[in-house]
Amino acid sequence: MHERISEHLETVGLGVLLVVLLIAYQAYDPSLLTPASITILSAQFLSLILAAMGQTTVMLTGGIDLSLGPVLALAMAVFALRADHGVVLAAVLALLVAAAAGAVNGAMVAYAGLPPIIVTLAASFLWGGVTLAVLPQPGGHVPGGLVKAYNNGWNGVAVPAVAIIVVVVLWKLGKLTRFGTALYAVGGNEHGAYAGGLNTRAIKIGGYALAGVFVGLAGIGLAIQTGSGDATIGTPYTLNSIAASVLGGVSFFGGVGAMRGTILGALIIGLLTNLLLFTGMSPFYQLILQGVILIAAIALKTLATDRRRTA
């Protein structure tokens, strides 16, 4: 009960911070709440939100994924290279590749007995190399009609916003399944979950594979937004997905966190990045500020977790 109250308080705090940022944003852009602006912002933030949801899924198992950016770029490259031959087939192929990469990461974590941070750091070089082999230089092509509908709306509908809603609803439904419950159980107490009859290795692999699906969707969204693929574009998403998850209240120890908090965290980071651009701050200082925010979020979350454990 105490943890649930803490989660709600964290969500309320994030909501207040988001409102403050929205007010500041509107001072620079009075058209913020218009349908056109919402469509543009949702197109910008979709990939970060989905990437953060993937990182959260891994963190719920007690792990962390430093290969998220390269896997996102790999899915983006696969989709961009195949989109002209059929968008649906290209999307399925990109999702399969990303899910497979996630499953491989999960298998290495589950069976190697090494810390996830070490395994996924090594995997980041692996998937980065594969992505460069698939797409050595920026290229590929996404049909113009799809790019236009994604960035400007389709018959007045903000396509990225609808996509976010659909994914969140599917997550909510999946969370209620046996697998969803097991994901939290393994992250919260792996030994207890194993003693209770759960196949913890299979659940970890499944969790990383599911994270790969989220990351694959993020890569597809980014390819549609930009109209092409780029093997190096995924790097910032690794750091930002961790920052969004931690800001959203996801524990590094696993088993604690809600996806709504992660989404709010991603929106805060996205809005903050745009605000910094409006102020004309140098990109170098923007990176420094993002690093400071991540460190502060980790410190506050660790302190809060320690207090709960000692309470």
Side-chain angles (χ1 to χ4, degrees):
M1 179 64 119
H2 184 265
E3 281 194 0
R4 284 196 171 186
I5 293 174
S6 297
E7 271 189 20
H8 287 309
L9 288 175
E10 286 178 355
T11 302
V12 171
L14 286 171
V16 171
L17 178 56
L18 182 61
V19 170
V20 171
L21 286 174
L22 286 171
I23 293 172
Y25 197 106
Q26 194 162 28
Y28 286 97
D29 181 12
S31 66
L32 173 64
L33 299 179
T34 62
S37 184
I38 291 173
T39 300
I40 293 171
L41 288 176
S42 63
Q44 289 180 0
F45 298 161
L46 173 68
S47 293
L48 176 57
I49 290 172
L50 291 171
M53 292 178 74
Q55 190 68 255
T56 291
T57 305
V58 170
M59 290 176 69
L60 287 175
T61 68
I64 194 167
D65 188 0
L66 297 184
S67 70
L68 183 147
V71 173
L72 186 153
L74 177 58
M76 179 188 190
V78 170
F79 180 81
L81 288 173
R82 301 298 303 174
D84 276 337
H85 303 285
V87 171
V88 174
L89 182 60
V92 171
L93 184 58
L95 289 177
L96 287 175
V97 168
V104 170
N105 288 350
M108 290 191 293
V109 169
Y111 287 98
L114 295 173
I117 191 170
I118 300 299
V119 173
T120 56
L121 176 61
S124 69
F125 295 103
L126 169 64
W127 302 125
V130 171
T131 306
L132 285 170
V134 171
L135 189 66
Q137 57 187 9
H141 180 262
V142 179
L146 182 59
V147 175
K148 184 178 179 181
Y150 183 91
N151 289 301
N152 301 325
W154 179 69
N155 292 330
V157 177
V159 177
V162 173
I164 293 169
I165 292 171
V166 170
V167 171
V168 170
V169 170
L170 291 175
W171 165 260
K172 284 287 187 182
L173 295 175
K175 187 180 173 182
L176 300 175
T177 64
R178 180 181 174 86
F179 173 74
T181 304
L183 203 64
Y184 276 84
V186 169
N189 186 346
E190 184 174 352
H191 295 296
Y194 180 78
L198 293 177
N199 186 338
T200 55
R201 284 178 171 172
I203 292 165
K204 278 188 178 182
I205 294 171
Y208 276 80
L210 177 59
V213 173
F214 283 124
V215 175
L217 289 170
I220 291 170
L222 192 57
I224 297 174
Q225 181 193 359
T226 60
S228 62
D230 187 339
T232 62
I233 202 171
T235 302
Y237 287 90
T238 302
L239 173 64
N240 286 334
S241 66
I242 297 171
S245 299
V246 175
L247 281 174
V250 181
S251 171
F252 275 108
F253 300 101
V256 176
M259 206 61 85
R260 62 179 177 272
T262 295
I263 294 170
L264 287 173
L267 289 173
I268 288 170
I269 290 174
L271 285 171
L272 183 60
T273 301
N274 280 10
L275 276 172
L276 293 176
L277 289 173
F278 283 143
T279 61
M281 180 181 287
S282 166
F284 302 110
Y285 291 113
Q286 290 179 32
L287 290 174
I288 292 172
L289 184 57
Q290 287 180 3
V292 170
I293 291 172
L294 176 58
I295 292 170
I298 292 172
L300 289 172
K301 183 61 184 175
T302 302
L303 180 62
T305 302
D306 289 342
R307 286 183 175 178
R308 286 180 201 170
R309 288 184 168 186
T310 57

Short mmCIF file of all heavy atoms in Angstrom, two decimals, residues 150-180:
data_model
loop_
_atom_site.label_atom_id
_atom_site.label_comp_id
_atom_site.label_asym_id
_atom_site.label_seq_id
_atom_site.Cartn_x
_atom_site.Cartn_y
_atom_site.Cartn_z
N TYR A 150 2.13 10.95 -41.25
CA TYR A 150 2.71 10.81 -39.91
C TYR A 150 3.05 12.17 -39.30
O TYR A 150 2.74 12.43 -38.13
CB TYR A 150 3.97 9.96 -40.01
CG TYR A 150 4.65 9.66 -38.69
CD1 TYR A 150 4.31 8.53 -37.96
CD2 TYR A 150 5.63 10.50 -38.18
CE1 TYR A 150 4.94 8.25 -36.74
CE2 TYR A 150 6.26 10.24 -36.98
CZ TYR A 150 5.90 9.10 -36.26
OH TYR A 150 6.52 8.84 -35.07
N ASN A 151 3.66 13.02 -40.08
CA ASN A 151 4.13 14.31 -39.55
C ASN A 151 3.07 15.41 -39.55
O ASN A 151 3.12 16.31 -38.71
CB ASN A 151 5.34 14.80 -40.36
CG ASN A 151 6.59 13.97 -40.08
OD1 ASN A 151 7.05 13.89 -38.95
ND2 ASN A 151 7.13 13.36 -41.12
N ASN A 152 2.11 15.33 -40.46
CA ASN A 152 1.11 16.40 -40.59
C ASN A 152 -0.30 15.96 -40.25
O ASN A 152 -1.22 16.78 -40.23
CB ASN A 152 1.13 16.97 -42.01
CG ASN A 152 2.49 17.53 -42.39
OD1 ASN A 152 3.19 18.09 -41.56
ND2 ASN A 152 2.88 17.38 -43.65
N GLY A 153 -0.49 14.67 -39.99
CA GLY A 153 -1.83 14.19 -39.68
C GLY A 153 -2.51 13.58 -40.88
O GLY A 153 -2.17 13.89 -42.04
N TRP A 154 -3.46 12.70 -40.60
CA TRP A 154 -4.23 12.04 -41.66
C TRP A 154 -5.70 12.31 -41.43
O TRP A 154 -6.28 11.88 -40.44
CB TRP A 154 -3.94 10.54 -41.64
CG TRP A 154 -4.70 9.75 -42.67
CD1 TRP A 154 -4.52 9.77 -44.02
CD2 TRP A 154 -5.76 8.83 -42.42
NE1 TRP A 154 -5.39 8.93 -44.64
CE2 TRP A 154 -6.18 8.32 -43.68
CE3 TRP A 154 -6.39 8.38 -41.27
CZ2 TRP A 154 -7.21 7.40 -43.81
CZ3 TRP A 154 -7.42 7.47 -41.39
CH2 TRP A 154 -7.82 6.97 -42.65
N ASN A 155 -6.31 13.10 -42.32
CA ASN A 155 -7.71 13.51 -42.17
C ASN A 155 -7.99 14.11 -40.79
O ASN A 155 -9.01 13.83 -40.16
CB ASN A 155 -8.64 12.32 -42.42
CG ASN A 155 -8.63 11.85 -43.86
OD1 ASN A 155 -8.41 12.64 -44.78
ND2 ASN A 155 -8.85 10.57 -44.08
N GLY A 156 -7.06 14.92 -40.34
CA GLY A 156 -7.24 15.59 -39.05
C GLY A 156 -6.87 14.76 -37.84
O GLY A 156 -7.02 15.22 -36.70
N VAL A 157 -6.38 13.55 -38.06
CA VAL A 157 -6.02 12.65 -36.95
C VAL A 157 -4.51 12.64 -36.77
O VAL A 157 -3.76 12.46 -37.74
CB VAL A 157 -6.52 11.21 -37.22
CG1 VAL A 157 -6.08 10.28 -36.09
CG2 VAL A 157 -8.04 11.20 -37.36
N ALA A 158 -4.07 12.83 -35.53
CA ALA A 158 -2.64 12.77 -35.22
C ALA A 158 -2.24 11.30 -35.11
O ALA A 158 -2.43 10.66 -34.08
CB ALA A 158 -2.35 13.50 -33.92
N VAL A 159 -1.70 10.76 -36.19
CA VAL A 159 -1.37 9.33 -36.27
C VAL A 159 -0.43 8.88 -35.14
O VAL A 159 -0.67 7.85 -34.51
CB VAL A 159 -0.78 8.99 -37.65
CG1 VAL A 159 -0.36 7.52 -37.71
CG2 VAL A 159 -1.79 9.31 -38.75
N PRO A 160 0.66 9.62 -34.86
CA PRO A 160 1.55 9.18 -33.78
C PRO A 160 0.86 9.12 -32.42
O PRO A 160 1.13 8.22 -31.62
CB PRO A 160 2.66 10.24 -33.79
CG PRO A 160 2.60 10.85 -35.15
CD PRO A 160 1.17 10.82 -35.52
N ALA A 161 -0.03 10.10 -32.15
CA ALA A 161 -0.74 10.11 -30.87
C ALA A 161 -1.64 8.89 -30.74
O ALA A 161 -1.72 8.26 -29.68
CB ALA A 161 -1.56 11.39 -30.74
N VAL A 162 -2.30 8.53 -31.84
CA VAL A 162 -3.15 7.33 -31.83
C VAL A 162 -2.30 6.08 -31.60
O VAL A 162 -2.68 5.18 -30.85
CB VAL A 162 -3.93 7.21 -33.17
CG1 VAL A 162 -4.67 5.88 -33.24
CG2 VAL A 162 -4.90 8.37 -33.32
N ALA A 163 -1.13 6.05 -32.24
CA ALA A 163 -0.22 4.90 -32.08
C ALA A 163 0.20 4.75 -30.62
O ALA A 163 0.25 3.63 -30.08
CB ALA A 163 1.00 5.07 -32.97
N ILE A 164 0.50 5.86 -29.96
CA ILE A 164 0.90 5.82 -28.56
C ILE A 164 -0.23 5.27 -27.69
O ILE A 164 -0.01 4.42 -26.82
CB ILE A 164 1.30 7.22 -28.07
CG1 ILE A 164 2.59 7.69 -28.76
CG2 ILE A 164 1.50 7.23 -26.54
CD1 ILE A 164 2.91 9.15 -28.53
N ILE A 165 -1.45 5.73 -27.95
CA ILE A 165 -2.61 5.27 -27.18
C ILE A 165 -2.81 3.77 -27.35
O ILE A 165 -3.05 3.04 -26.39
CB ILE A 165 -3.88 6.04 -27.60
CG1 ILE A 165 -3.75 7.51 -27.18
CG2 ILE A 165 -5.13 5.42 -26.98
CD1 ILE A 165 -4.84 8.41 -27.75
N VAL A 166 -2.71 3.30 -28.60
CA VAL A 166 -2.90 1.87 -28.89
C VAL A 166 -1.85 1.03 -28.15
O VAL A 166 -2.17 0.01 -27.52
CB VAL A 166 -2.83 1.61 -30.41
CG1 VAL A 166 -2.78 0.11 -30.69
CG2 VAL A 166 -4.02 2.24 -31.11
N VAL A 167 -0.59 1.46 -28.21
CA VAL A 167 0.49 0.71 -27.55
C VAL A 167 0.29 0.68 -26.04
O VAL A 167 0.49 -0.36 -25.39
CB VAL A 167 1.86 1.32 -27.91
CG1 VAL A 167 2.96 0.68 -27.07
CG2 VAL A 167 2.17 1.13 -29.38
N VAL A 168 -0.12 1.80 -25.46
CA VAL A 168 -0.35 1.86 -24.01
C VAL A 168 -1.48 0.93 -23.60
O VAL A 168 -1.39 0.23 -22.59
CB VAL A 168 -0.64 3.31 -23.57
CG1 VAL A 168 -1.10 3.34 -22.11
CG2 VAL A 168 0.60 4.17 -23.73
N VAL A 169 -2.56 0.92 -24.37
CA VAL A 169 -3.69 0.03 -24.08
C VAL A 169 -3.25 -1.43 -24.15
O VAL A 169 -3.60 -2.24 -23.28
CB VAL A 169 -4.86 0.30 -25.05
CG1 VAL A 169 -5.94 -0.78 -24.90
CG2 VAL A 169 -5.46 1.66 -24.78
N LEU A 170 -2.47 -1.77 -25.18
CA LEU A 170 -1.97 -3.15 -25.31
C LEU A 170 -1.08 -3.53 -24.13
O LEU A 170 -1.12 -4.65 -23.63
CB LEU A 170 -1.22 -3.32 -26.63
CG LEU A 170 -2.07 -3.27 -27.90
CD1 LEU A 170 -1.19 -3.32 -29.14
CD2 LEU A 170 -3.07 -4.42 -27.92
N TRP A 171 -0.25 -2.57 -23.68
CA TRP A 171 0.59 -2.84 -22.51
C TRP A 171 -0.26 -3.09 -21.27
O TRP A 171 0.01 -4.00 -20.49
CB TRP A 171 1.54 -1.66 -22.26
CG TRP A 171 2.17 -1.71 -20.90
CD1 TRP A 171 1.80 -1.01 -19.79
CD2 TRP A 171 3.25 -2.57 -20.48
NE1 TRP A 171 2.58 -1.34 -18.71
CE2 TRP A 171 3.48 -2.29 -19.10
CE3 TRP A 171 4.05 -3.51 -21.13
CZ2 TRP A 171 4.47 -2.94 -18.38
CZ3 TRP A 171 5.04 -4.16 -20.39
CH2 TRP A 171 5.24 -3.88 -19.04
N LYS A 172 -1.30 -2.27 -21.09
CA LYS A 172 -2.19 -2.44 -19.94
C LYS A 172 -2.82 -3.82 -19.94
O LYS A 172 -2.92 -4.48 -18.89
CB LYS A 172 -3.30 -1.37 -19.98
CG LYS A 172 -2.85 0.02 -19.57
CD LYS A 172 -2.62 0.11 -18.07
CE LYS A 172 -2.35 1.53 -17.63
NZ LYS A 172 -2.07 1.60 -16.17
N LEU A 173 -3.26 -4.27 -21.12
CA LEU A 173 -3.86 -5.59 -21.23
C LEU A 173 -2.82 -6.68 -20.98
O LEU A 173 -3.09 -7.67 -20.29
CB LEU A 173 -4.49 -5.77 -22.62
CG LEU A 173 -5.68 -4.86 -22.93
CD1 LEU A 173 -6.13 -5.04 -24.38
CD2 LEU A 173 -6.85 -5.13 -21.98
N GLY A 174 -1.63 -6.49 -21.54
CA GLY A 174 -0.56 -7.48 -21.36
C GLY A 174 -0.10 -7.58 -19.91
O GLY A 174 0.30 -8.65 -19.44
N LYS A 175 -0.15 -6.47 -19.21
CA LYS A 175 0.28 -6.44 -17.81
C LYS A 175 -0.60 -7.32 -16.93
O LYS A 175 -0.16 -7.82 -15.89
CB LYS A 175 0.25 -4.99 -17.32
CG LYS A 175 0.83 -4.77 -15.93
CD LYS A 175 0.75 -3.30 -15.56
CE LYS A 175 1.17 -3.09 -14.12
NZ LYS A 175 1.04 -1.66 -13.71
N LEU A 176 -1.84 -7.51 -17.36
CA LEU A 176 -2.79 -8.31 -16.58
C LEU A 176 -2.64 -9.81 -16.83
O LEU A 176 -3.24 -10.61 -16.13
CB LEU A 176 -4.23 -7.88 -16.89
CG LEU A 176 -4.58 -6.42 -16.58
CD1 LEU A 176 -5.99 -6.10 -17.05
CD2 LEU A 176 -4.44 -6.13 -15.08
N THR A 177 -1.85 -10.18 -17.84
CA THR A 177 -1.68 -11.59 -18.16
C THR A 177 -0.70 -12.25 -17.19
O THR A 177 -0.04 -11.57 -16.40
CB THR A 177 -1.15 -11.76 -19.60
OG1 THR A 177 0.17 -11.17 -19.68
CG2 THR A 177 -2.07 -11.08 -20.60
N ARG A 178 -0.58 -13.56 -17.30
CA ARG A 178 0.35 -14.31 -16.46
C ARG A 178 1.79 -13.84 -16.70
O ARG A 178 2.57 -13.70 -15.76
CB ARG A 178 0.22 -15.80 -16.78
CG ARG A 178 1.16 -16.71 -15.98
CD ARG A 178 0.96 -18.15 -16.39
NE ARG A 178 1.94 -19.02 -15.73
CZ ARG A 178 1.80 -19.54 -14.53
NH1 ARG A 178 0.69 -19.26 -13.84
NH2 ARG A 178 2.73 -20.31 -14.01
N PHE A 179 2.11 -13.58 -17.95
CA PHE A 179 3.47 -13.12 -18.28
C PHE A 179 3.74 -11.75 -17.66
O PHE A 179 4.84 -11.50 -17.13
CB PHE A 179 3.67 -13.06 -19.79
CG PHE A 179 4.98 -12.44 -20.21
CD1 PHE A 179 6.16 -13.13 -20.06
CD2 PHE A 179 5.01 -11.15 -20.73
CE1 PHE A 179 7.38 -12.56 -20.44
CE2 PHE A 179 6.22 -10.57 -21.10
CZ PHE A 179 7.40 -11.29 -20.96
N GLY A 180 2.77 -10.84 -17.75
CA GLY A 180 2.93 -9.52 -17.19
C GLY A 180 3.17 -9.55 -15.69
O GLY A 180 4.05 -8.86 -15.15
#
